[in-house]
Amino acid sequence: MAEPSSTATTTRSRENTRRKLLDAAAQVFAEVGLAAASVEAVCDRAGFTRGAFYSNFASKDELFLELAGQVANRRVEAVTARVAELECDGTLDESHVDVFEILDQVLEVSADDRLGVLLMSEIRIHALRNPEMAAAYLAQEAEMRRNVAQIVADIGRAKGISFRIPAIEAARLMLLVWEGSAVRAAIAGENAELIHRDTSSELALVAELIIDGPTQA
């Protein structure tokens, strides 16, 4: 077996360094915020020198933009993969499963732990001040909304459920309630299990408001 080339080894090493810096930055940014986070703190958490940092990122803002893009992409990919999994195992076709039980299963994959909530909140704050970040965040939010709207529409047709509002607006409302509940729970110091319980309870209340009832045959 041929030995890996020095170029391939260097590339893997660089990718590993970037990944560790991004993982460390996610923790530091979530804990203290972008403004208070220093390059030194990120390097200390990752176990690297400032030289290693600046050989991968031009600045803290550049690192944050890449991290935000990764977080957004992971959220969308997680929701998409969960929907595909539920479709594959037949959950979406089971008559006894409640529509919001399914949505709860889909949304729970989107980082509703305290660290995830803190990091997403920091990303939103930065998006208010940074046009590039704002565009990326809004694009991710729109894709999440389309995913959830598709689930709502598909389940509605499969189960003969009608809604008082269009699927896209139902999705917008559910995501607003879900994220707002997660933020409140995190502020209250709740753990991941309690955060999930609270968001599930509030989604159930949304169900009572937007489900009109079985469609007429």
Side-chain angles (χ1 to χ4, degrees):
M1 183 180 294
E3 292 293 323
S5 68
S6 59
T7 300
T9 301
T10 300
T11 299
R12 282 197 299 272
S13 177
R14 181 179 179 83
E15 290 173 351
N16 186 53
T17 299
R18 287 179 71 87
R19 179 181 55 77
K20 288 183 177 180
L21 285 167
L22 286 163
D23 288 346
Q27 297 175 24
V28 175
F29 290 155
E31 290 168 3
V32 303
L34 178 65
S38 65
V39 169
E40 289 77 9
V42 173
C43 291
D44 287 346
R45 185 70 60 92
F48 292 119
T49 63
R50 285 172 58 90
F53 180 95
Y54 286 111
S55 68
N56 285 276
F57 301 100
S59 66
K60 183 176 68 173
D61 281 350
E62 181 184 291
L63 182 151
F64 187 77
L65 283 168
E66 181 167 333
L67 175 63
Q70 287 190 5
V71 170
N73 289 337
R74 281 199 297 267
R75 289 184 94 203
V76 173
E77 288 168 3
V79 167
T80 303
R82 185 60 172 147
V83 171
E85 180 184 327
L86 293 173
E87 289 176 337
C88 185
D89 67 19
T91 298
L92 297 183
D93 299 322
E94 294 176 10
S95 60
H96 70 280
V97 179
D98 181 82
V99 58
F100 281 87
E101 180 182 333
I102 295 174
L103 287 167
D104 190 39
Q105 291 182 53
V106 170
L107 293 177
E108 73 177 349
V109 304
S110 301
D112 60 355
D113 61 289
R114 181 175 173 78
L115 182 63
V117 171
L118 288 168
L119 182 56
M120 285 306 300
S121 295
E122 188 64 27
I123 288 172
R124 290 187 197 99
I125 290 170
H126 201 57
L128 288 169
R129 303 186 178 98
N130 184 301
E132 183 179 356
M133 177 74 74
Y137 178 81
L138 291 174
Q140 176 267 331
E141 184 184 57
E143 188 166 356
M144 281 281 285
R145 190 161 56 248
R146 286 192 296 271
N147 271 299
V148 174
Q150 187 62 53
I151 299 166
V152 170
D154 288 348
I155 297 172
R157 282 192 296 269
K159 298 182 179 298
I161 296 171
S162 62
F163 299 93
R164 293 188 174 95
I165 56 178
I168 194 69
E169 295 305 321
R172 185 193 306 275
L173 179 58
M174 285 184 290
L175 286 168
L176 283 171
V177 169
W178 172 68
E179 295 204 358
S181 177
V183 169
R184 286 193 300 276
I187 290 172
E190 296 181 358
N191 59 29
E193 181 180 352
L194 290 176
I195 289 174
H196 182 233
R197 184 202 65 190
D198 288 351
T199 53
S200 297
S201 296
E202 296 203 11
L203 278 176
L205 293 175
V206 173
E208 296 181 14
L209 296 173
I210 69 173
I211 291 181
D212 196 25
T215 56
Q216 298 298 315

